[in-house]
Amino acid sequence: MSENHWGQSESSADTRPSTQKEWRLIEKMLGSLQVEQRRSRRWGIFFKLLTFVYLFSLLGMFFIGKDLGGSKVVAADHTAIVEVKGPIMDGEDASADTIIAALRDAFEAEHSKAVVLRINSPGGSPVQSGYVYDEIKRLRELNPEKKVYAVITDIGASGAYYIAAAADEIYADKASLVGSIGVISSSFGFVDLIEKLGVERRTLTAGENKAFLDPFSPLKERDREFWQTVLNTTHQQFIEQVRKGRGDRLKGGDELFTGLVWSGEQALELGLVDGLGSSSMVAREVIGAEKLVDYTARPQPLDRLIERLGVGVAKELALQMGLRSDYSLR
């Protein structure tokens, strides 16, 4: 026996439901709990299946992308297209490795009548551009029957024009931007800023010039002069390759090599391009093989997904802040 808070005694039997209505209420509650449990299990199974479908879709995209990225076999005469799009840098879509692999596939294709480099790039690394230039020359020597045409769309400047200069002929739209034959190295100096913030710069080196062009230290005149000789040497290499590729077709003087950029119409007058037109026009009217087949090496779907998630942001941020001393053709 026990007492409740009113002092009344009650037995354990009194705590059980005493009416049919109470039993029905309890049964209804238990039934609702069972329904909720079944719903939870169903949703759990659904989300697990959704996760598996997502993962298998990624794997499918990866393997299908590999198959689609293989060498193309086209049984009809065609014009091979290789795109040079975006910054010409190692690790980018327009890296030397990517472009060269596509060029080799295009030249090896039995029914490709010629190769068109479709260019839309502001330039980039002189090293990467030089690799592609040399490979185009090598492939032309091995395959003298297949010509290479460069077609500039929006922009073909700096390192992109370096590559175009290796082609047999260059075409552009009348409003394309062409040229910018020069070299640039840019960064920032933070000396006054860190002094205002009360930050002490501590740099230890083994080698007199190891802290060369340190953005947190004052620019030394001898460092500036030395780096200018590096830029001048690279610029001269650029000029020599353009002259070698274009030859007597160049009609301008030294102003061509000052870093200026011209419209396609102006570039035609200066001999920087051979004509005005698109890839389709060149394929149809110059090459005589209207069918276009794209041999550009595309990144795998998984690689594109990773890139979209932001890999490479830190590298670009460091470059823009002057924490890296990369230089490029511009």
Side-chain angles (χ1 to χ4, degrees):
M1 297 287 292
S2 61
E3 293 185 355
N4 58 24
H5 59 281
W6 289 292
Q8 297 172 336
S9 63
E10 56 181 11
S11 64
S12 58
D14 293 333
T15 62
R16 290 179 296 179
S18 58
T19 65
Q20 192 69 22
K21 182 178 180 181
E22 290 177 341
W23 278 112
R24 283 198 298 269
L25 181 60
I26 292 172
E27 288 174 353
K28 185 175 180 180
M29 292 174 60
L30 291 174
S32 299
L33 288 174
Q34 289 177 345
V35 170
E36 289 298 324
Q37 287 176 346
R38 284 198 294 269
R39 286 178 179 172
S40 298
R41 283 197 296 269
R42 288 197 205 100
W43 280 111
I45 293 170
F46 172 76
F47 283 115
K48 287 177 183 177
L49 288 174
L50 192 63
T51 302
F52 279 117
V53 169
Y54 176 73
L55 292 175
F56 280 116
S57 297
L58 284 180
L59 288 173
M61 290 171 62
F62 175 75
F63 288 111
I64 291 172
K66 288 182 67 176
D67 293 338
L68 294 177
S71 298
K72 296 176 175 61
V73 179
V74 181
D77 288 349
H78 61 274
T79 296
I81 298 290
V82 174
E83 287 193 354
V84 179
K85 189 174 183 180
I88 303 168
M89 294 282 183
D90 185 27
E92 299 288 344
D93 290 346
S95 69
D97 288 344
T98 302
I99 298 170
I100 288 172
L103 284 169
R104 290 173 180 171
D105 287 343
F107 270 95
E108 290 171 4
E110 181 180 355
H111 294 282
S112 64
K113 307 306 292 182
V115 179
V116 168
L117 282 165
R118 186 156 56 197
I119 296 172
N120 187 11
S121 169
S125 163
V127 176
Q128 298 289 306
S129 302
Y131 285 161
V132 178
Y133 181 102
D134 293 341
E135 183 65 10
I136 292 172
K137 292 295 187 183
R138 187 187 75 84
L139 290 171
R140 281 289 289 117
E141 290 179 3
L142 294 176
N143 304 272
E145 76 285 358
K146 291 186 181 181
K147 287 189 175 183
V148 177
Y149 299 88
V151 177
I152 296 170
T153 56
D154 293 297
I155 182 170
S158 194
Y161 188 79
Y162 190 154
I163 291 174
D168 293 281
E169 295 179 9
I170 304 174
Y171 291 83
D173 184 80
K174 60 183 179 297
S176 299
L177 296 179
V178 181
S180 188
I181 302 172
V183 185
I184 185 172
S185 174
S186 58
S187 64
F188 296 95
F190 299 99
V191 180
D192 293 338
L193 176 61
I194 63 175
E195 286 182 357
K196 290 180 180 179
L197 294 175
V199 178
E200 179 186 358
R201 174 68 168 166
R202 296 175 181 175
T203 305
L204 305 178
T205 65
E208 182 181 357
N209 296 305
K210 192 60 181 177
F212 173 70
L213 296 181
D214 175 16
F216 297 100
S217 301
L219 178 63
K220 300 176 183 177
E221 183 59 26
R222 66 175 185 176
D223 290 353
R224 189 196 65 77
E225 292 176 354
F226 172 77
W227 193 238
Q228 188 62 54
T229 64
V230 174
L231 300 181
N232 291 341
T233 300
T234 306
H235 188 205
Q236 193 58 41
Q237 294 168 354
F238 190 179
I239 294 171
E240 289 175 2
Q241 297 299 74
V242 170
R243 288 193 184 278
K244 187 185 299 183
R246 298 299 295 165
D248 295 336
R249 288 174 289 184
L250 292 175
K251 300 173 185 176
D254 291 340
E255 74 276 7
L256 293 178
F257 311 115
T258 61
L260 288 174
V261 63
W262 290 273
S263 69
E265 192 171 7
Q266 292 172 313
L268 179 61
E269 296 175 358
L270 294 169
L272 291 170
V273 303
D274 299 285
L276 302 178
S278 63
S279 302
S280 298
M281 186 280 290
V282 172
R284 182 177 58 254
E285 300 181 15
V286 180
I287 299 171
E290 187 171 0
K291 181 179 177 62
L292 302 177
V293 177
D294 192 351
Y295 285 79
T296 308
R298 305 293 182 186
Q300 301 299 335
L302 190 59
D303 294 335
R304 289 199 297 268
L305 178 63
I306 293 172
E307 183 179 356
R308 288 172 183 172
L309 292 176
V311 176
V313 171
K315 179 180 70 175
E316 181 64 22
L317 181 61
L319 180 61
Q320 295 300 325
M321 290 183 65
L323 302 182
R324 293 173 56 189
S325 60
D326 294 1
Y327 67 101
S328 60
L329 300 179
R330 292 189 190 172

